[in-house]
Amino acid sequence: MLRLPRKSDYTKVPWCTYTDPEVASVGLNEKRAKAAGVEYRTLEAAFRDVDRALAEGETGGKIKVLISPSGVLLDARSPGIMQGN
């Protein structure tokens, strides 16, 4: 019924490294995508362009995403203040 052992797919499990600044991530990182030959494009946005970051006075940091040619999100990484929330 349970068909054990089962394999798990951890590629979509988010994680955070609680450093200063924090680093939040989910998905296949760029190094692994290159090694696996996965096609992707990279998009980045600085927190200084985000209203919430401006309102909180925490404009240091950015978000970086990897997107497949078909538009599927492969990875999102965000180093910055309070990214583990």
Side-chain angles (χ1 to χ4, degrees):
M1 180 171 150
L2 295 177
R3 297 181 188 187
L4 297 175
R6 298 194 92 163
K7 291 188 178 185
S8 297
D9 180 7
Y10 294 104
T11 58
K12 302 291 191 262
V13 176
W15 58 267
C16 180
T17 302
Y18 292 98
T19 56
D20 188 12
E22 295 176 2
V23 179
S25 179
V26 63
L28 181 69
N29 69 32
E30 193 166 10
K31 184 177 180 179
R32 289 182 180 166
K34 283 181 183 178
V38 175
E39 283 188 59
Y40 63 89
R41 65 178 185 203
T42 304
L43 302 173
E44 292 186 26
F47 286 167
R48 67 178 177 271
D49 300 326
V50 177
D51 292 340
R52 180 176 175 182
L54 291 170
E56 292 183 4
E58 299 290 352
T59 57
K62 68 178 181 178
I63 185 166
K64 179 178 177 181
V65 296
L66 303 183
I67 307 219
S68 74
S70 63
V72 174
L73 178 67
L74 301 172
D75 177 54
R77 298 199 178 266
S78 181
I81 302 298
M82 297 180 62
Q83 293 307 293
N85 291 339

